[in-house]
Amino acid sequence: MRIVRVQAIGFGPLRDRELAFHPALTVVVGANESAKTSWHAATYAARCGIRRGRGQPLQRDRDFRDRFTPWDGGPWRVAADLVLDDGRTIQISQELEDRVDCRALELPRGRDVSGEITNEGVVDASVWLGLGRRAFEATACIRQADLLGVLGATDDLSEPLARLTDTGGTDETAATALTLLAEFSRTAVGTDRANAVGPLRRARQAVAAAQEEVLAARAARGEFDERAQGLADLRDQADRADRDVELVRAARDRAEAVGLARRVQEATALTESTAVLTAATVADPWPGDATDPIPVGVAAPPRARSRWPWLLVALGGLVAVVGLIARSPLGVGAGVVLALGGAVAFGLARPRPVGRPPARSDGVPDAGTAVAVEAFDERLAAQRRLGALLGDGDLADLEHAARLAQEAAQRSAASFTPAQLDALGPDAGLPAIRADREEAALLLQRRVQSAEGALLEAARVLPDVAGAEERLAAAQAELERVECLQSVLDDTIGFMSRAQERVHRDIAPLLRETLVRRLPAVTAGRYTDVAVDPQTLAVRVRGASGQWRAARMLSFGTAEQIHLLLRLALVELLTADHDTCPLLLDDVTVHADDERTRAILEVLREASATRQVVLFTQEESVARWARGHLGDLTHPAGAVIDLPRLPPP
């Protein structure tokens, strides 16, 4: 490939300008303010364009834009005519502002061949060279005072370098694979640093959080279980208190049943004795006049009234009712008269003493009377005691109550032993014991209710241990997946890195062979041997002393000269199976003395025999050499182009 001409339609200070190049060596001489560096940049932009990708532009692209957008406004556009090794003429047009109207046309047919060289959204002629714009910029396009920039371009050159020893015939090299694997590892795994946000860090954080959640849930469950056990213990205490109360109640029921049984026994005996006394008294009623005075100290005997007045009242009431039914006033009146007569007779009749012997006239009872009085008093006392025992009922009622009490006592005492009942002590103390135990049972019931309410509220907010454990299991499974993927990626990257190291070992001899041919001439014979690390592109040289020295630690001029040779070697090796790569150089001899400058120019002239070389310079020594060895565009060896100064703004 060679560049026929470049058009600066709008680029930096250039507007509608054109520059043509010799197919071999072109030396473009320009003093300050002649746009020499702008022409160098425009030539690069016309061939390679500016990356159009997602996200923010790269810093070097932003710097390029800031420096070379048109000074007077207008479209930012360049164009170039190229001739490929296969004879095709290509016209490339680059719109640099929005990078939309970028195309490559094959002349004279006008066939669009942009698809052959599209790279990062725009056409890039360096694809025909097997490089890409970044690799081209790192090797064949040298900006002013940037010869050492090749040392920072190892990432851009890794794929082209790997292809040197790739026998697969494709671009899928170890470097490409490593780049893809590293990118995939960053997005699919990431690192475990404190500030990392990748899947690995998130998975480990999720596991830690899930573990804390499980521990907290288990602790809450343990505390809840302890409180539940405390409630169960409290319920047991309340049950025991209730049982103590039931024990007292059973003892009370037993005492009541025993008391009623005794009352029944006593009432039965009194009933029998009272019946005997009553029969004896009735057999020997009061002698004498009922009007005799009752001796002093002797209670008045009961007196019986006659029953016939009651019969008269009842008969009168019956006659009156019949008269009312028969509507006979006479019958009603007769009945009323009979009833009133019976009532008057009842009021006038004197009671007749029953069952007590009369006293003598002097008030002192005789022996028979005394016995009778004693018997009467016994019967009276028995009757009174019997009345107290029976109350408002009779003996049958009392016996019924005693049976019910006995049944109740048996039911309440069914779960207790007699020893337990006897241990409570005398029956008289049961009420006090019952009051104390009922109070204690009530207090325990209140505590149970309070604890139940608190436990119910705790259960409402109790963490789900099973759910937390499931989330922990899921987080651990995800972490295991990511760690497994990390292991696979690490093994793969290690394998590919070892493969890349083998590639680098194969490249090193090729670079050395290319460099060592030119090193003595460029360094005036001071250094004769060279070694290159293909992974870092670090160069070491040695001379007659045999001591190896890092090239970048030498004088700045010598370091630049050595790295210029490194770039030429890289271009020759990287583009060997593609179109011939032109060289675009800007002031590459600025730090060289006259002898080394001539040596470098001779190297460039030698290189121009097989590839196009365009050298931009402001050095008078370079201009003199060019004028002595080159001519115009028709000269077979090359041409010299003098750039005029730009008009003042």
Side-chain angles (χ1 to χ4, degrees), residues 411-436:
R411 287 194 300 270
S412 60
S415 58
F416 302 104
T417 64
Q420 290 176 311
L421 297 173
D422 295 339
L424 293 175
D427 297 344
L430 291 178
I433 296 174
R434 177 183 177 185
D436 292 341

mmCIF file of all heavy atoms in Angstrom, residues 411-436:
data_model
loop_
_atom_site.group_PDB
_atom_site.id
_atom_site.type_symbol
_atom_site.label_atom_id
_atom_site.label_comp_id
_atom_site.label_asym_id
_atom_site.label_seq_id
_atom_site.Cartn_x
_atom_site.Cartn_y
_atom_site.Cartn_z
ATOM 1 N N ARG A 411 -66.422 -37.380 93.934
ATOM 2 C CA ARG A 411 -65.931 -36.878 92.643
ATOM 3 C C ARG A 411 -64.694 -35.997 92.828
ATOM 4 O O ARG A 411 -63.715 -36.120 92.099
ATOM 5 C CB ARG A 411 -67.035 -36.092 91.928
ATOM 6 C CG ARG A 411 -68.140 -36.954 91.366
ATOM 7 C CD ARG A 411 -68.987 -36.153 90.391
ATOM 8 N NE ARG A 411 -69.601 -34.989 91.031
ATOM 9 C CZ ARG A 411 -70.789 -34.991 91.634
ATOM 10 N NH1 ARG A 411 -71.496 -36.124 91.685
ATOM 11 N NH2 ARG A 411 -71.286 -33.898 92.185
ATOM 12 N N SER A 412 -64.757 -35.066 93.745
ATOM 13 C CA SER A 412 -63.639 -34.131 93.920
ATOM 14 C C SER A 412 -62.415 -34.805 94.505
ATOM 15 O O SER A 412 -61.283 -34.346 94.290
ATOM 16 C CB SER A 412 -64.073 -32.956 94.801
ATOM 17 O OG SER A 412 -64.485 -33.426 96.081
ATOM 18 N N ALA A 413 -62.617 -35.889 95.255
ATOM 19 C CA ALA A 413 -61.478 -36.568 95.880
ATOM 20 C C ALA A 413 -60.973 -37.725 95.038
ATOM 21 O O ALA A 413 -60.065 -38.445 95.472
ATOM 22 C CB ALA A 413 -61.880 -37.068 97.268
ATOM 23 N N ALA A 414 -61.506 -37.910 93.838
ATOM 24 C CA ALA A 414 -61.144 -39.075 93.030
ATOM 25 C C ALA A 414 -59.668 -39.075 92.651
ATOM 26 O O ALA A 414 -59.059 -40.130 92.506
ATOM 27 C CB ALA A 414 -62.011 -39.122 91.772
ATOM 28 N N SER A 415 -59.082 -37.878 92.418
ATOM 29 C CA SER A 415 -57.681 -37.795 91.989
ATOM 30 C C SER A 415 -56.728 -37.538 93.137
ATOM 31 O O SER A 415 -55.567 -37.183 92.908
ATOM 32 C CB SER A 415 -57.531 -36.682 90.944
ATOM 33 O OG SER A 415 -57.968 -35.449 91.479
ATOM 34 N N PHE A 416 -57.199 -37.653 94.371
ATOM 35 C CA PHE A 416 -56.343 -37.415 95.535
ATOM 36 C C PHE A 416 -56.395 -38.629 96.451
ATOM 37 O O PHE A 416 -57.365 -39.403 96.455
ATOM 38 C CB PHE A 416 -56.785 -36.164 96.305
ATOM 39 C CG PHE A 416 -56.779 -34.916 95.477
ATOM 40 C CD1 PHE A 416 -57.959 -34.366 95.003
ATOM 41 C CD2 PHE A 416 -55.593 -34.291 95.150
ATOM 42 C CE1 PHE A 416 -57.961 -33.223 94.242
ATOM 43 C CE2 PHE A 416 -55.579 -33.145 94.388
ATOM 44 C CZ PHE A 416 -56.762 -32.602 93.926
ATOM 45 N N THR A 417 -55.338 -38.759 97.218
ATOM 46 C CA THR A 417 -55.293 -39.842 98.202
ATOM 47 C C THR A 417 -55.778 -39.314 99.546
ATOM 48 O O THR A 417 -55.714 -38.100 99.806
ATOM 49 C CB THR A 417 -53.864 -40.373 98.344
ATOM 50 O OG1 THR A 417 -53.027 -39.330 98.865
ATOM 51 C CG2 THR A 417 -53.322 -40.820 96.989
ATOM 52 N N PRO A 418 -56.261 -40.183 100.394
ATOM 53 C CA PRO A 418 -56.658 -39.738 101.741
ATOM 54 C C PRO A 418 -55.524 -39.050 102.481
ATOM 55 O O PRO A 418 -55.756 -38.100 103.240
ATOM 56 C CB PRO A 418 -57.093 -41.044 102.420
ATOM 57 C CG PRO A 418 -57.527 -41.928 101.290
ATOM 58 C CD PRO A 418 -56.613 -41.605 100.164
ATOM 59 N N ALA A 419 -54.276 -39.531 102.230
ATOM 60 C CA ALA A 419 -53.145 -38.904 102.916
ATOM 61 C C ALA A 419 -52.990 -37.443 102.498
ATOM 62 O O ALA A 419 -52.667 -36.576 103.322
ATOM 63 C CB ALA A 419 -51.868 -39.682 102.616
ATOM 64 N N GLN A 420 -53.202 -37.187 101.195
ATOM 65 C CA GLN A 420 -53.115 -35.798 100.734
ATOM 66 C C GLN A 420 -54.193 -34.948 101.386
ATOM 67 O O GLN A 420 -53.954 -33.790 101.756
ATOM 68 C CB GLN A 420 -53.250 -35.739 99.212
ATOM 69 C CG GLN A 420 -52.054 -36.311 98.460
ATOM 70 C CD GLN A 420 -52.273 -36.332 96.969
ATOM 71 O OE1 GLN A 420 -53.322 -36.806 96.506
ATOM 72 N NE2 GLN A 420 -51.309 -35.843 96.222
ATOM 73 N N LEU A 421 -55.391 -35.493 101.512
ATOM 74 C CA LEU A 421 -56.479 -34.736 102.143
ATOM 75 C C LEU A 421 -56.207 -34.541 103.627
ATOM 76 O O LEU A 421 -56.439 -33.452 104.175
ATOM 77 C CB LEU A 421 -57.798 -35.466 101.933
ATOM 78 C CG LEU A 421 -58.245 -35.625 100.464
ATOM 79 C CD1 LEU A 421 -59.476 -36.512 100.379
ATOM 80 C CD2 LEU A 421 -58.544 -34.269 99.848
ATOM 81 N N ASP A 422 -55.693 -35.578 104.294
ATOM 82 C CA ASP A 422 -55.433 -35.475 105.729
ATOM 83 C C ASP A 422 -54.307 -34.496 106.025
ATOM 84 O O ASP A 422 -54.255 -33.912 107.111
ATOM 85 C CB ASP A 422 -55.078 -36.858 106.294
ATOM 86 C CG ASP A 422 -56.266 -37.813 106.199
ATOM 87 O OD1 ASP A 422 -57.410 -37.323 106.088
ATOM 88 O OD2 ASP A 422 -56.028 -39.046 106.211
ATOM 89 N N ALA A 423 -53.366 -34.326 105.039
ATOM 90 C CA ALA A 423 -52.220 -33.456 105.283
ATOM 91 C C ALA A 423 -52.605 -32.001 105.436
ATOM 92 O O ALA A 423 -51.802 -31.185 105.914
ATOM 93 C CB ALA A 423 -51.211 -33.602 104.142
ATOM 94 N N LEU A 424 -53.813 -31.624 105.023
ATOM 95 C CA LEU A 424 -54.231 -30.227 105.131
ATOM 96 C C LEU A 424 -54.569 -29.837 106.564
ATOM 97 O O LEU A 424 -54.748 -28.647 106.848
ATOM 98 C CB LEU A 424 -55.441 -29.977 104.224
ATOM 99 C CG LEU A 424 -55.165 -30.075 102.723
ATOM 100 C CD1 LEU A 424 -56.449 -29.926 101.936
ATOM 101 C CD2 LEU A 424 -54.174 -29.003 102.296
ATOM 102 N N GLY A 425 -54.706 -30.805 107.471
ATOM 103 C CA GLY A 425 -54.969 -30.477 108.868
ATOM 104 C C GLY A 425 -56.446 -30.421 109.176
ATOM 105 O O GLY A 425 -57.297 -30.894 108.402
ATOM 106 N N PRO A 426 -56.792 -29.821 110.292
ATOM 107 C CA PRO A 426 -58.194 -29.764 110.745
ATOM 108 C C PRO A 426 -59.075 -29.040 109.750
ATOM 109 O O PRO A 426 -58.629 -28.162 109.012
ATOM 110 C CB PRO A 426 -58.104 -29.022 112.076
ATOM 111 C CG PRO A 426 -56.678 -29.146 112.503
ATOM 112 C CD PRO A 426 -55.866 -29.204 111.262
ATOM 113 N N ASP A 427 -60.353 -29.432 109.782
ATOM 114 C CA ASP A 427 -61.306 -28.805 108.862
ATOM 115 C C ASP A 427 -61.458 -27.326 109.117
ATOM 116 O O ASP A 427 -61.774 -26.552 108.200
ATOM 117 C CB ASP A 427 -62.669 -29.498 108.994
ATOM 118 C CG ASP A 427 -62.587 -30.968 108.586
ATOM 119 O OD1 ASP A 427 -61.587 -31.335 107.933
ATOM 120 O OD2 ASP A 427 -63.506 -31.731 108.914
ATOM 121 N N ALA A 428 -61.230 -26.921 110.348
ATOM 122 C CA ALA A 428 -61.437 -25.503 110.681
ATOM 123 C C ALA A 428 -60.465 -24.599 109.937
ATOM 124 O O ALA A 428 -60.759 -23.422 109.704
ATOM 125 C CB ALA A 428 -61.300 -25.313 112.200
ATOM 126 N N GLY A 429 -59.296 -25.130 109.549
ATOM 127 C CA GLY A 429 -58.308 -24.284 108.854
ATOM 128 C C GLY A 429 -58.455 -24.266 107.355
ATOM 129 O O GLY A 429 -57.722 -23.554 106.668
ATOM 130 N N LEU A 430 -59.386 -25.048 106.799
ATOM 131 C CA LEU A 430 -59.526 -25.130 105.347
ATOM 132 C C LEU A 430 -59.912 -23.803 104.690
ATOM 133 O O LEU A 430 -59.406 -23.489 103.609
ATOM 134 C CB LEU A 430 -60.542 -26.212 104.987
ATOM 135 C CG LEU A 430 -60.106 -27.656 105.275
ATOM 136 C CD1 LEU A 430 -61.220 -28.625 104.912
ATOM 137 C CD2 LEU A 430 -58.842 -27.987 104.496
ATOM 138 N N PRO A 431 -60.805 -23.009 105.254
ATOM 139 C CA PRO A 431 -61.146 -21.738 104.592
ATOM 140 C C PRO A 431 -59.950 -20.826 104.381
ATOM 141 O O PRO A 431 -59.791 -20.222 103.321
ATOM 142 C CB PRO A 431 -62.183 -21.131 105.536
ATOM 143 C CG PRO A 431 -62.796 -22.304 106.226
ATOM 144 C CD PRO A 431 -61.687 -23.281 106.407
ATOM 145 N N ALA A 432 -59.086 -20.720 105.392
ATOM 146 C CA ALA A 432 -57.914 -19.853 105.245
ATOM 147 C C ALA A 432 -56.953 -20.405 104.192
ATOM 148 O O ALA A 432 -56.404 -19.659 103.363
ATOM 149 C CB ALA A 432 -57.207 -19.706 106.597
ATOM 150 N N ILE A 433 -56.744 -21.741 104.241
ATOM 151 C CA ILE A 433 -55.852 -22.356 103.245
ATOM 152 C C ILE A 433 -56.410 -22.158 101.841
ATOM 153 O O ILE A 433 -55.687 -21.836 100.890
ATOM 154 C CB ILE A 433 -55.672 -23.854 103.556
ATOM 155 C CG1 ILE A 433 -54.965 -24.030 104.901
ATOM 156 C CG2 ILE A 433 -54.898 -24.543 102.451
ATOM 157 C CD1 ILE A 433 -54.875 -25.471 105.350
ATOM 158 N N ARG A 434 -57.712 -22.356 101.717
ATOM 159 C CA ARG A 434 -58.342 -22.185 100.404
ATOM 160 C C ARG A 434 -58.182 -20.763 99.897
ATOM 161 O O ARG A 434 -57.862 -20.543 98.716
ATOM 162 C CB ARG A 434 -59.818 -22.553 100.507
ATOM 163 C CG ARG A 434 -60.575 -22.329 99.198
ATOM 164 C CD ARG A 434 -62.040 -22.622 99.358
ATOM 165 N NE ARG A 434 -62.758 -22.334 98.132
ATOM 166 C CZ ARG A 434 -64.092 -22.418 98.016
ATOM 167 N NH1 ARG A 434 -64.822 -22.799 99.056
ATOM 168 N NH2 ARG A 434 -64.675 -22.135 96.864
ATOM 169 N N ALA A 435 -58.362 -19.776 100.741
ATOM 170 C CA ALA A 435 -58.224 -18.373 100.326
ATOM 171 C C ALA A 435 -56.802 -18.088 99.843
ATOM 172 O O ALA A 435 -56.596 -17.449 98.800
ATOM 173 C CB ALA A 435 -58.606 -17.445 101.484
ATOM 174 N N ASP A 436 -55.789 -18.590 100.594
ATOM 175 C CA ASP A 436 -54.396 -18.350 100.197
ATOM 176 C C ASP A 436 -54.080 -19.005 98.858
ATOM 177 O O ASP A 436 -53.451 -18.404 97.979
ATOM 178 C CB ASP A 436 -53.455 -18.885 101.273
ATOM 179 C CG ASP A 436 -53.538 -18.076 102.571
ATOM 180 O OD1 ASP A 436 -54.033 -16.935 102.507
ATOM 181 O OD2 ASP A 436 -53.105 -18.598 103.616
#
